[in-house]
Amino acid sequence: LRKRGISRAPRHKRRATGGKRFNDRKKRKFELGRPPTNTKIGVKKVSEVRTRGGNKKFRALRLESGNYSWGSEVCTRKTRVLDVVYNASNNELVRTKTLVKNAIVQVDATPFRQWYEAHYGVKIGLKKRGKKKDGDDADVKKSSRVLRKLASRQKGRVLDATLDDQFASGRLLACISSRPGQSGRADGYILEGSELAFYKKKLDVKKDKKH
């Protein structure tokens, strides 16, 4: 049996009227397609693919972390990708934990929590983090200049209650905005506001269906 290559040519398609098209030539190199990468969560493994014009694509076969941006706080941190929880295109990609663009994932909240607490001088996500250990209450001595700076930052500070709950659980919902199979990276942004409410609603419906 001959191997059939993946082609992106439209010649196998019918006309708008439904009639069959006459195929007048063979496949061309510039029309080729490649199999999907199906990037999984695991120890980083990226392979290089030579493409047309000697350019390169980076196929991420496995990834475990990425750079995630917290838009409202203008803060970006490298953090671990823990789980895939939702995908609008296909539930199979959730079951197999496949990383693709626009997949909704859970990322480790620790880097963002540490930054927030250092930047504002306020503890967040305390609801589920258990009892305080001895020495946790002891305030680190701060200079008057640092105290003034922290006080000025408090003026416009607002933390969404939904985000605070997520910080308490140690996991934040995020969306992948890069293309892991093309760039070899799983970068994205933390979900906030109406977008977070939308996906929370979707996940709650999914949870209710299971029970």
Side-chain angles (χ1 to χ4, degrees):
L1 288 171
R2 281 187 316 184
K3 272 189 178 179
R4 294 191 65 188
I6 300 168
S7 174
R8 293 179 297 111
R11 285 189 302 280
H12 66 287
K13 298 266 188 182
R14 285 175 179 256
R15 293 190 176 94
T17 57
K20 282 191 175 180
R21 226 181 242 161
F22 175 68
N23 193 359
D24 61 339
R25 69 180 197 191
K26 292 183 177 180
K27 291 176 182 178
R28 297 291 188 259
K29 173 75 173 171
F30 57 78
E31 293 166 348
L32 71 77
R34 297 187 183 90
T37 312
N38 295 329
T39 309
K40 304 297 181 199
I41 298 172
V43 179
K44 185 178 177 180
K45 185 181 181 184
V46 179
S47 65
E48 238 177 52
V49 178
R50 187 209 183 264
T51 59
R52 191 169 162 85
N55 295 306
K56 289 175 184 174
K57 283 185 178 180
F58 300 95
R59 289 268 185 271
L61 304 176
R62 290 193 304 268
L63 288 172
E64 58 186 350
S65 62
N67 291 330
Y68 285 83
S69 172
W70 187 356
S72 63
E73 294 292 344
V74 196
C75 166
T76 302
R77 289 291 178 272
K78 183 179 179 180
T79 185
R80 285 185 307 130
V81 177
L82 303 172
D83 197 7
V84 179
V85 292
Y86 184 78
N87 193 310
S89 63
N90 192 348
N91 277 332
E92 193 69 6
L93 299 177
V94 179
R95 190 185 66 79
T96 54
K97 301 192 190 306
T98 304
L99 300 176
V100 291
K101 185 175 177 175
N102 269 7
I104 304 303
V105 295
Q106 283 183 333
V107 297
D108 185 13
T110 308
F112 295 100
R113 181 177 55 76
Q114 287 172 342
W115 172 83
Y116 195 93
E117 289 175 357
H119 187 74
Y120 290 109
V122 175
K123 296 279 182 188
I124 56 172
L126 293 170
K127 292 169 193 173
K128 293 177 189 172
R129 278 168 59 195
K131 295 176 182 176
K132 292 180 180 178
K133 295 174 185 174
D134 293 337
D136 280 6
D137 290 336
D139 289 329
V140 178
K141 202 171 184 183
K142 295 183 180 80
S143 66
S144 58
R145 182 172 172 275
V146 170
L147 290 170
R148 282 199 305 276
K149 191 187 283 186
L150 291 175
S152 68
R153 286 172 182 169
Q154 290 293 334
K155 288 171 189 172
R157 185 181 77 85
V158 178
L159 181 65
D160 187 5
T162 319
L163 266 179
D164 197 30
D165 290 342
Q166 286 186 59
F167 274 113
S169 69
R171 292 173 172 228
L172 296 174
L173 285 176
C175 179
I176 296 177
S177 57
S178 67
R179 300 171 70 194
Q182 308 287 319
S183 62
R185 303 175 66 92
D187 298 339
Y189 58 93
I190 303 300
L191 294 179
E192 298 179 85
S194 57
E195 195 176 9
L196 175 59
F198 174 83
Y199 285 113
K200 281 284 284 179
K201 195 175 176 183
K202 290 279 186 187
L203 290 170
D204 290 341
V205 168
K206 204 171 168 186
K207 203 182 284 181
D208 290 341
K209 280 182 181 176
K210 280 184 179 178
H211 296 307

